[in-house]
């Protein structure tokens, strides 16, 4: 396999103007001008269905269910109720404050114990063939949950390309730091950059999804555009967003919430209804859109796929 | 006469602004239920029960702090009639505390007593929040003029309970926040200022009542 590591002078394909736009550039300018004028006189066209992603959800999602026959949560639950402290600590803050964030072009630095370190462009990972939709439950450590049709590719694809050496025991991930575009990073409520980590076998697990989209469309900024992790058997905070760095290391990474409060947040953060968070129960959860709380499932219902990785570990100690 | 008018106006402002949060919640609930998908900014969002809980809880704390600032405002401004606002303020604080408690027990815990008891016993932030609410109940019940007369000086002692409720209330808020503690710390700061004023003024009073011998000599 050929790995192209890019020089800073290389133009990423996301910045290249598509040919048809170039050929019809005069019409493009005219349309833009007309469109702007129309917007000025009729501001409510912004609410028309064309620009509202809720109206663009592809039809194939209409009757989609999870493997446990659960309904999907609607697009607005997933994109308007977020924990992404880089954009503010309230649930509505990310959707409100993420508008200035520019998710493209995007570079991910891969370093540490690998044979193929380098700066990879987002486009290096996203091929036409490896993208898939996956319906996963997401359980937040705050005892709410959603069912989401993510879009992405297995993290193992990236790992295999990087060729880790025998010394790589964990991967440490980092979120981008851009205080000018991320108002939450102008405060000190957390240690920036946000750091998360996975043990190598967790990272290679087929469930672990490098996620680039939701409901068949690109991730909105508030959901961690353009690249985030999803491990459905772990609490949501493990799913680090807007990833710019993957470091293959020997030692267990010190993840952000563990640093913040190690009594309450561990490294593993596997969903476990039998081990309560010190401040609330983890035995139950509220599925967004439902009134009565449901029982939380061990490993969030993915026991079969992940249990063997934790055989012999005391899960009350390794929270 | 003008003073009475001013109090009346202030009471009007108080009623309108104290009812605003519950009116907003009601409107948001209405739009979510009957006018969903229309272009709306007034909404309870993806987790309506959490929103209802947070708004009523926050309003309770703010009203408690305003109630506690009536006496300092009265002393500092010398405007005695402002005391007339204290009872409605306190009762509105209780009203929101009651809503907050009802939303938690009815909507959040769906009246499952086992869950509620477990939460009150095992989760410190719920323990203090529950205690703060319970202490407020007798205060609300004895807020009528009849009870004030019947209890005499004991009424004053009983109603010092609001200090306990306010303290437990801000702790309740501080303990449930995960990382961004700026707002709870601000409320704690406000409460500390209000307490400091009271401590300082009672200290002054005591000095007036029992003057020590080290009083300054008269003009030489």
């Amino acid at each position: 396999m050929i790995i192209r590591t890019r020089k800073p002078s290389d133009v990423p394909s996301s910045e290249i103007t598509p040919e048809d736009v170039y050929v019809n550039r005069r019409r493009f300018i005219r349309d833009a001008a007309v469109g702007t004028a129309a917007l000025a006189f009729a501001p409510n066209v912004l609410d028309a269905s064309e620009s509202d992603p809720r109206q663009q959800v592809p039809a194939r999602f209409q009757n989609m269910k999870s493997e446990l026959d659960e309904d999907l949560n609607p697009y607005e639950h997933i994109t308007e109720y977020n924990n992404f402290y880089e954009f503010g600590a309230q649930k509505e803050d990310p959707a409100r404050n993420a508008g200035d964030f520019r998710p493209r072009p995007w570079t991910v630095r891969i370093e540490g114990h690998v044979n193929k370190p380098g700066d990879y462009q987002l486009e290096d990972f996203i091929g036409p063939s490896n993208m898939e939709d996956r319906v996963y439950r997401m359980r937040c450590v705050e005892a709410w949950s959603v069912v989401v049709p993510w879009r992405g590719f297995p993290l193992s694809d990236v790992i295999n390309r990087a060729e880790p050496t025998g010394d790589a025991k964990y991967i440490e991930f980092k979120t981008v730091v851009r205080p000018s575009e991320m108002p939450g990073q102008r405060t000190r409520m957390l240690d920036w950059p946000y750091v998360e980590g996975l043990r190598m076998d967790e990272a290679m697990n087929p469930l672990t999804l490098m996620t680039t989209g939701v409901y068949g469309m690109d991730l909105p900024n508030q959901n961690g555009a353009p690249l985030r992790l999803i491990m459905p058997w772990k609490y949501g905070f493990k799913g680090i967003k807007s990833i710019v760095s993957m470091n293959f290391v020997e030692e267990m990474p010190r993840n952000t919430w563990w640093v913040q409060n190690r009594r309450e947040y561990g490294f593993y953060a596997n969903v476990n209804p039998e081990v309560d968070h010190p401040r609330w129960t983890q035995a139950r959860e509220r599925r967004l859109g439902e009134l009565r709380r449901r029982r939380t499932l061990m490993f969030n219902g993915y026991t079969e796929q992940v249990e063997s990785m934790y055989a012999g570990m005391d899960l009350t100690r390794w929270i | 006469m003008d003073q009475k008018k001013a109090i009346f106006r202030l009471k009007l402002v108080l009623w309108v602004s104290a009812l605003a949060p519950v009116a907003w919640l009601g409107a948001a609930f209405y739009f979510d239920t009957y006018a969903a998908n229309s272009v709306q900014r007034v909404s309870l969002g993806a987790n309506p029960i959490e929103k209802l809980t947070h708004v009523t809880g926050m309003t309770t704390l703010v009203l408690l702090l305003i109630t506690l600032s009536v006496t300092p405002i009265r002393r500092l401004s010398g405007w005695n009639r402002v005391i007339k606002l204290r009872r409605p303020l306190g009762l509105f604080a209780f009203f929101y505390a009651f809503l907050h408690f009802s939303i938690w027990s009815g909507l959040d815990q769906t009246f499952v007593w086992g869950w509620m008891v477990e939460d009150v016993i095992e989760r410190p932030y719920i323990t203090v929040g529950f205690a703060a609410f319970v202490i407020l109940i007798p205060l609300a019940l004895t807020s009528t003029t009849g009870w004030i007369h019947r209890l005499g000086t004991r009424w004053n002692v009983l109603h010092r309970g609001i200090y306990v409720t306010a303290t437990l209330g801000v702790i309740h808020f501080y303990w449930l926040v995960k990382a961004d503690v700026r707002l709870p710390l601000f409320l704690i700061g406000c409460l500390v200022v209000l307490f400091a004023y009271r401590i300082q003024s009672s200290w002054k009073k005591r000095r007036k009542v029992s003057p020590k011998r080290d009083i300054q000599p008269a003009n030489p």
Side-chain angles (χ1 to χ4, degrees), chain A residues 47 54 77 81 85 89 92 142 187 189 257 260 265 276 279-281 284 286 288 291-293, chain B residues 37 39 46-47 49-51 107-110 112 115 118 123 125 175-180 182:
Chain A
D47 301 319
R54 284 180 291 179
H77 283 175
Y81 186 84
Y85 277 45
E92 300 91 348
E142 297 164 344
T187 75
M189 41 184 174
W257 281 101
Q260 170 82 7
Y265 312 101
D276 282 344
R279 285 185 275 163
W280 52 80
T281 178
R284 301 177 286 279
R286 167 158 311 107
L288 295 190
L291 175 62
R292 187 144 179 139
R293 288 178 183 258
Chain B
N37 289 328
V39 181
N47 196 344
I49 296 173
E50 182 190 69
K51 175 68 84 191
L107 293 179
D108 189 34
Q109 305 289 313
T110 48
V112 180
W115 296 355
E118 180 195 311
R123 329 268 171 235
Y125 88 90
W175 275 351
L176 71 86
V177 170
K178 276 167 67 191
D180 189 5
R182 287 173 296 177

Side-chain angles (χ1 to χ4, degrees), chain A residues 84-87 101 106-107 172-178 182 185 191-196 224-225 227-229 237-246 256:
Chain A
F84 194 174
Y85 277 45
E86 280 78 348
F87 292 112
F101 186 73
W106 196 261
T107 309
E172 180 190 71
F173 301 85
K174 281 189 185 138
T175 296
V176 72
V177 179
R178 288 189 195 164
M182 303 174 127
Q185 285 183 339
D191 259 345
W192 315 114
Y194 194 89
V195 174
E196 260 307 336
L227 198 64
R228 65 166 301 170
L229 276 178
F237 72 86
K238 291 295 289 183
I240 184 168
K241 306 185 180 84
S242 305
I243 299 167
V244 289
S245 159
M246 285 174 64
T256 297

Side-chain angles (χ1 to χ4, degrees), chain B residues 60-71:
Chain B
T60 307
L61 289 179
V62 170
L63 283 169
L64 282 172
L65 290 174
I66 297 177
T67 309
L68 283 173
S69 52
V70 168
T71 297

